[in-house]
Amino acid sequence: MTEETPGFDEKPDVPSGATPDDAEPQAASEEGAAPAGDASENAGLVAQLDQVRTALNERTADLQRLQAEYQNYRRRVERDRVAVKEIAVANLLSELLPVLDDVGRAREHGELVGGFKSVAESLETTVAKLGLQQFGKEGEPFDPTIHEALMHSYAPDVTETTCVAILQPGYRIGERTIRPARVAVAEPQPGAQTVKPAEAGSEAQDGSDAEDNAGTKESGGPDEG
């Protein structure tokens, strides 16, 4: 029989001068280093994500601010456009007021007939579509914000300063007064006392009672028994 050569156990590579016991701590340290590297890598990713979120929030805020500024700009432009249009229309209609005054005088004198009447009515319809409104009536209280007093007098039948004649009608566009109404006004007589209807009725009743009492005294009253 042939004798078999006994085998030998394989040992891990050990550095020269090191014992087999020294190899085990080195392997354990290498296994523990891997999780530490993953943690640092995750921390770096979280930091980058935070930076991206911060940048996104800043860009979103910038976009919202620009959008708000644009909306304000659009509203301002629209408001200015409407104001310019109103001023242009008001200037145009102001130039037509003398023509409208002539039409009104012709109507009062019965001269608004024929083709002139058609033209005048078309003109009045056109300016009404543009928003022109006429105001000023006899008997309304005087308002210095919309009336211009050209004549002044006193009247016993008024209780406050009143427009008694419209010399020239006023015109407005919306709340914008183009020309105040030129009027003649009358004020109450100086020293006149205004008596309310209820007070007047009471005074009349008191006067009637006084007259009845006077009549009773003059008749001597009933005879005493």
Side-chain angles (χ1 to χ4, degrees):
M1 291 178 62
T2 304
E3 294 183 359
E4 293 182 357
T5 303
F8 59 89
D9 296 334
E10 294 182 356
K11 302 279 185 168
D13 295 337
V14 179
S16 61
T19 62
D21 295 336
D22 295 335
E24 293 181 359
Q26 183 178 0
S29 63
E30 291 178 356
E31 292 178 357
D38 293 341
S40 62
E41 183 178 357
N42 292 336
L45 292 176
V46 171
Q48 292 180 1
L49 181 59
D50 292 339
Q51 292 178 357
V52 171
R53 288 176 177 174
T54 302
L56 178 60
N57 292 334
E58 292 177 354
R59 300 300 180 270
T60 303
D62 293 340
L63 181 60
Q64 292 175 347
R65 183 170 58 255
L66 290 175
Q67 186 176 7
E69 291 177 356
Y70 177 67
Q71 294 296 335
N72 293 334
Y73 168 76
R74 287 188 58 185
R75 284 194 291 266
R76 185 169 59 253
V77 169
E78 182 65 18
R79 184 173 61 250
D80 294 343
R81 186 184 66 82
V82 173
V84 169
K85 180 181 178 181
E86 291 179 353
I87 294 174
V89 172
N91 292 336
L92 173 62
L93 295 178
S94 297
E95 298 296 329
L96 294 176
L97 295 185
V99 180
L100 297 175
D101 292 337
D102 293 338
V103 170
R105 283 189 290 267
R107 181 179 286 111
E108 291 176 358
H109 291 85
E111 299 176 356
L112 199 63
V113 295
F116 180 45
K117 179 180 179 181
S118 300
V119 173
E121 291 176 350
S122 298
L123 176 62
E124 291 175 339
T125 302
T126 301
V127 297
K129 289 181 179 179
L130 292 175
L132 185 66
Q133 300 176 353
Q134 180 178 320
F135 66 90
K137 295 181 180 179
E138 295 182 4
E140 63 185 8
F142 176 75
D143 185 353
T145 61
I146 60 175
H147 297 138
E148 180 181 354
L150 300 182
M151 300 178 63
H152 177 269
S153 62
Y154 294 97
D157 56 343
V158 298
T159 59
E160 59 181 341
T161 304
T162 306
C163 301
V164 295
I166 305 299
L167 306 179
Q168 275 186 337
Y171 290 96
R172 67 164 64 97
I173 299 178
E175 300 297 328
R176 184 190 186 96
T177 300
I178 297 180
R179 187 183 73 184
R182 292 165 181 170
V183 301
V185 299
E187 292 182 349
Q189 289 285 357
Q193 296 181 354
T194 303
V195 180
K196 297 181 180 179
E199 295 177 355
S202 177
E203 291 178 358
Q205 182 66 28
D206 294 342
S208 177
D209 294 341
E211 290 178 358
D212 293 342
N213 293 335
T216 302
K217 290 181 181 180
E218 291 177 358
S219 63
D223 297 334
E224 297 179 358

